[in-house]
Amino acid sequence: MLEDHKRTGAYYQAIMSNRRQFKDKVVLDVGAGSGILSIFAAKAGAKKVYAVEATSVAADARKLIAHNKLDNVIEVVQGTIESIELPEKAKTYALLSPRMQVDIIVSEWMGYFLLRESMLDSVLVARDKFLKPGGAMYPSHANIYMAPIRTHMATQKLNELHVSTPCFNCSVKSRGRAGAQGNF
């Protein structure tokens, strides 16, 4: 993520433009990686940030966070969101939930075509497990736009399928021709 300046900049802008929402809040960074979103949240005024990272990159995140002198605000927790418990109990919500609850969840869960990195499931687990009622998620929603296209290469592949598919006592001829004409 650090090498993707546009994406990192968009997260920075979203968090810093909403400093009032982060001020004195408890934040959970799911799949923290280098900890950059945790750093943004701390700089926006969060009183506590839990940076949860499953891999050994958690050690690098600790170093980066300490280098930025934010280790008094950000705590790196190594493990999967599905398996960890946050270190503290929320006093305000102790009667409602046996778990620590957070005000905000941040996560860079989107990959190519939104779902490529397969982090959405973990973010939803984090939401259900740790987010206070009325809490916020960054990002909170996403849209996928798709449009069908027809290319010469797709038509050629469908024609090759028609020719090379063994029939196994059935006909693929009409399906192949319809597909080759773009009628799906």
Side-chain angles (χ1 to χ4, degrees):
M1 181 168 162
L2 291 175
E3 292 179 1
D4 188 340
H5 302 289
K6 296 262 186 209
R7 185 170 45 158
T8 305
Y11 275 92
Y12 179 83
Q13 188 65 34
I15 292 169
M16 292 304 173
S17 295
N18 291 285
R19 286 178 190 224
R20 281 186 289 149
Q21 191 169 19
F22 283 82
K23 181 80 172 132
D24 297 324
K25 300 294 190 210
V26 178
V27 177
L28 173 61
D29 182 357
V30 180
S34 67
I36 191 69
L37 298 184
S38 298
I39 291 170
F40 294 166
K43 288 187 174 193
K47 71 177 175 185
K48 186 68 177 179
V49 180
Y50 295 101
V52 178
E53 174 55 43
T55 70
S56 61
V57 173
D60 297 325
R62 283 186 188 96
K63 290 176 189 172
L64 184 61
I65 289 161
H67 179 76
N68 281 276
K69 298 179 179 18
L70 292 169
D71 48 343
N72 61 325
V73 176
I74 303 169
E75 183 172 341
V76 178
V77 179
Q78 187 169 354
T80 64
I81 200 70
E82 294 83 359
S83 66
I84 61 107
E85 289 295 332
L86 296 178
E88 300 173 11
K89 297 282 185 202
K91 294 177 179 77
T92 310
Y93 290 89
L95 297 175
L96 298 176
S97 173
R99 292 189 162 109
M100 169 68 184
Q101 291 191 308
V102 300
D103 301 294
I104 299 171
I105 293 175
V106 296
S107 182
E108 199 294 297
W109 57 267
M110 295 172 279
Y112 302 111
F113 206 55
L114 288 182
L115 306 175
R116 175 67 171 100
E117 291 186 25
S118 300
M119 283 289 298
L120 179 59
D121 290 345
S122 295
V123 172
L124 296 177
V125 166
R127 177 198 64 191
D128 296 345
K129 192 173 177 181
F130 297 114
L131 190 62
K132 286 180 183 176
M137 294 180 65
Y138 282 74
S140 60
H141 59 279
N143 296 315
I144 296 176
Y145 296 96
M146 298 186 323
I149 63 168
R150 181 175 161 191
T151 67
H152 175 70
M153 185 185 301
T155 303
Q156 183 179 357
K157 294 267 185 201
L158 285 170
N159 284 334
E160 289 171 7
L161 174 68
H162 167 68
V163 171
S164 66
T165 304
C167 290
F168 301 107
N169 293 325
C170 65
S171 173
V172 295
K173 190 173 188 176
S174 63
R175 183 169 185 239
R177 290 195 191 284
Q181 295 171 4
N183 301 320
F184 293 96

